[in-house]
Amino acid sequence: MITRLSNLSEHLKEQGTKARLVVGAALDKNVLDAVVSAKNTGFIDVTLIGDASAIEQTLIETGNNGSDIEIIDEKSDYAAGEKAIDFIREGKAQILMNGQENYRGASVITKPLLKKNSDLIKGKTISHIAVFEMENYHKLIAVTDVAINISPDLSTKANIISNAVFLMRRFGIETPKVAVLAAVEVINERMPATMHAAILSKMAQRGQIKNCIIDGPLAFDNAISEESAIYKGIKSEVSGNVDILLAPDLETAGMLYQSLIMIAKAKVASITVGAVAPIVLTTKLDTAETRLNSILLSACTYN
Amino acid sequence: MIKDLSDIFKKASSIKEKKKLVVMAAHDEHVLDAVAVAVEKNIVDAILVGDRKKINEIAEKHNLNFDKCEIIDEKDNDNAAELSIKLIHEGEGQILMKGSLDTASYLRPIIKSKGGLRTGDLLSSLAIFKIDGYHKIWGLTDGGINIAPDMHEKASIINNAVFFFRALGIEKPKVAVLGVVERVRSNMQSTMDAAMLSKMAQRGQIKNCIVDGPLSFDNAISRQSANFKEIESDVAGDADIIVVPNIESANVLYKSIVHLAKVSPGAVIVGASVPVILTSRADTDIIKLNSIALAASVEF
């Protein structure tokens, strides 16, 4: 059972598998640092695709000995992105990572990957899951979706939940508890988020969304604090013991993500799931620890 | 506890202060037939507001006895309507029944927000059945008033029915909200409404009842059928109130039971300060009588 982010490497040790990480358009120093740290854990093999001489130069600058890192020379960013995806497609690597943390750079990997009818998606919903560790909450908590789905409809929300349930089950939580967030805990026809939440709860009850308990609408406080739920007269199996928080939209998820990191000083690891391989998408705001944990988290979904 | 429609008659005739039925535009032979029987059975007293001459003619022709009833002579239907509503407001009558006027003219003064009788957000029709093979009476709503209610209106329809069931002595009725299937389908609004109504009851937005839906009709009335579909539900197989998605499904369900299962329900309009009876010409005398007994057996 993974209960802290620091358990990730322990879990990989028990899992006893080694995954290969392929990085497309590897350029950012931050990314290369994280990749080397991941390799040094002994659980991750690495292939970097990009401008080979620039990559070697950066590796030397950062004081890393890149001798056992495979580097494939491809000077065009977009071609490097495509090549990285081919690696996944051909089964040569199991984790995909974006090598650039600027906005344009992210599209190098995500654009070709997410395009319609991609054989890497097979009609599934791709979603981003951020797993937080906080001092004031007794276990890990997943927040979704911070990065991919802007304003998901009902069936997309159901898929986003299923993706997060898949991840939490990999952590050893057999039946994760899911809170569907809204501004209030009651159904209000002027707030579609509350209506979606009620419907999703019933879908879990009827077995349409499997292996989890869903309750919603719940306001954030009702979701994480049983006391707060009791105060509002809410009887819920999820309140105070939630594993997964589904935000109604990207804006809400994003603000929650940033507030947990910047104000609650939470630790986080993120993964994008739903494609044939997990994808690591990091940003400039991430710490070195976050980047490393995100790679390890992705490796945990592979065996 | 009311287990059968016959219990409703017992309850109605055992009420200390007999209820008075106000018949609006009472000069209708089918209605007068039913009212005479109800009075004779000591279920209600009646005030007949209508054309006295016509009422007397019908009484003579059908050999009905209205000696114990007050007759208020009023030939004009609009005036009869106004007077009937006034009698309810003044507490002279505790049940309202439609006589010889069209449904719209009957309901208009009841629904009216100023001076009407409405207490809830809307009026809704509730038919109560007892069927062999089902262990208790159950209600079907809304069979006659709301054509295609939205979620909010369905919540009001549930509230109306729950209020009536509680008046019958069923403290926490179980409400099944029907869909064609027991799963949520985003292309079937009724299944999504049902899911939302369930949560509204769980959150206390709909009070004094347990709501589950979507359930198909068989899941609602048969635990075995629900088990077969692996539905975990407090309501399945034990529903007191069945809420249908629209007027067409209500109508077909109602008529299939009445005509093919040969069961006579009682029906009332709920959502007003008193039970309102709106039987149609097509309803049998026994349905009309059941409806009067049903209205007479509750204290609002």
Side-chain angles (χ1 to χ4, degrees), chain A residues 208-235:
Chain A
Q208 294 174 268
I209 303 171
K210 296 202 192 322
N211 301 320
C212 61
I213 298 166
I214 301 180
D215 194 19
L218 287 168
F220 182 74
D221 58 335
N222 313 143
I224 57 156
S225 153
E226 196 185 3
E227 202 183 336
S228 170
I230 290 168
Y231 183 73
K232 284 283 186 98
I234 300 168
K235 278 181 206 154

Side-chain angles (χ1 to χ4, degrees), chain A residues 7 71 73 76 96 100 136 148 162 168 183 217 221 241:
Chain A
N7 293 155
I71 300 172
D73 190 29
S76 151
L96 184 62
Q100 297 184 25
N136 293 321
I148 308 285
S162 293
M168 295 318 261
D221 58 335
N241 200 16

Side-chain angles (χ1 to χ4, degrees), chain A residues 154 185-189 195 198-199 201-203 205-208 210 214-218 234-235, chain B residues 150-152 182-186 192 195-196 198-200 202-203 205 212-215 231-233:
Chain A
L154 183 66
E185 76 285 356
V186 291
I187 317 295
N188 182 327
E189 284 159 288
M195 303 208 281
I199 295 167
S201 308
K202 184 60 71 178
M203 287 173 80
Q205 223 178 314
R206 291 286 191 263
Q208 294 174 268
K210 296 202 192 322
I214 301 180
D215 194 19
L218 287 168
I234 300 168
K235 278 181 206 154
Chain B
D150 63 19
M151 185 194 74
H152 190 75
E182 72 287 356
R183 295 181 146 221
V184 177
R185 292 271 171 81
S186 59
M192 298 204 287
M196 291 187 271
S198 309
K199 186 60 72 177
M200 286 174 81
Q202 226 177 312
R203 291 284 191 267
Q205 293 174 273
D212 192 23
L215 288 169
I231 299 166
E232 274 176 44
S233 165

